[in-house]
Amino acid sequence: MRRFDWIVFDADDTLWDCQGHFERVMRQLYDMLDRWSTKEMSKRELYATERKNMPVLGYGTKAFTLSVMETALRVSEYQLPARELAWLQERCYGLLNLPATPLPEVEPTLRTLQEEGWHMAVFTKGELLDQENKLRRSGLGQYFEHVEITSDKGQDEFRALCRKLDVEPSRMLMVGNSLKSDIAPALAIGAWGIYIPFHITWELEHAEHFDHERMHTINHFAQLLNYL
């Protein structure tokens, strides 16, 4: 008898690279503001703006764009030329079309799991249309029986997901790159977790590493097959 009825996957930075593209725009912002601020100071200002805006703007490219624009204006004391601000806006809008190319080992692993008869779902937070488009561009949608896009991922959202999948938490395995959003809340409701660290972590997703009897850490996506 299999230990799990459902394997649930995070999307951004688990199935494809997302943060790397955002980091590129961040560096462009810091370079643009170097007339008024150091890169470290601009980084702290952007982080503070995103944290302030999150309760009303949520997660995703649109929220990021507004926070970048706000930070650029404030740090430059509203002196940043309109042409440069428009150029920065275009860089942010470009994130709506990031390639969502599957990370190494992702598609072959999902194909194997599907062939073995595993029930699989995507559970990701962000903007509905943006996340739907990334999943479509990735070509991975064929492997998932259920896709859930939510404004946040806490214990309540994980419990709601279990109800929709008609699965007990103890029979669900969550796979993701964020200890804060993917693993900790899943463990808290009694599910299991596979943590796959990504080489870049968004400031607002930083969390101290911890050990847990229902969590396992892997370094390569294909190692999921060995765990199962």
Side-chain angles (χ1 to χ4, degrees), residues 19 27 36 45 67 92 169 184:
Q19 189 60 29
R27 290 193 296 270
W36 297 278
E45 287 295 322
S67 292
C92 291

Side-chain angles (χ1 to χ4, degrees), residues 133-170:
N133 285 336
K134 280 188 282 189
L135 182 60
R136 174 182 52 78
R137 290 195 300 272
S138 74
L140 299 176
Q142 61 184 309
Y143 299 109
F144 303 107
E145 299 174 48
H146 181 83
V147 176
E148 186 87 10
I149 300 169
T150 180
S151 60
D152 202 0
K153 285 165 72 174
Q155 294 181 40
D156 290 342
E157 288 78 15
F158 271 95
R159 291 191 184 96
L161 176 66
C162 288
R163 290 192 293 270
K164 289 181 181 179
L165 298 179
D166 191 24
V167 62
E168 291 294 324
S170 62

Side-chain angles (χ1 to χ4, degrees), residues 19 23 26 30 40 43-44 46-48 50-51 54 180 200-207:
Q19 189 60 29
E23 291 282 337
M26 291 179 192
Y30 306 151
E40 190 59 37
K43 181 178 180 180
R44 289 199 298 268
L46 177 60
Y47 171 62
E50 289 185 292
R51 184 172 54 186
M54 189 181 301
K180 181 178 179 181
I200 306 173
T201 303
W202 183 32
E203 288 283 350
L204 295 178
E205 289 292 341
H206 277 297

Side-chain angles (χ1 to χ4, degrees), residues 10-23 101-104 106 176-179 182 194-202 205-206 209 217-221:
D10 172 53
D12 292 334
D13 301 322
T14 297
L15 300 179
W16 54 72
D17 176 16
C18 178
Q19 189 60 29
H21 298 279
F22 279 71
E23 291 282 337
T101 303
L103 290 167
V106 166
N177 72 292
S178 172
L179 288 170
D182 300 326
I194 291 287
Y195 173 50
I196 309 179
F198 193 61
H199 67 281
I200 306 173
T201 303
W202 183 32
E205 289 292 341
H206 277 297
H209 194 278
T217 300
I218 61 177
N219 296 314
H220 303 284
F221 201 89

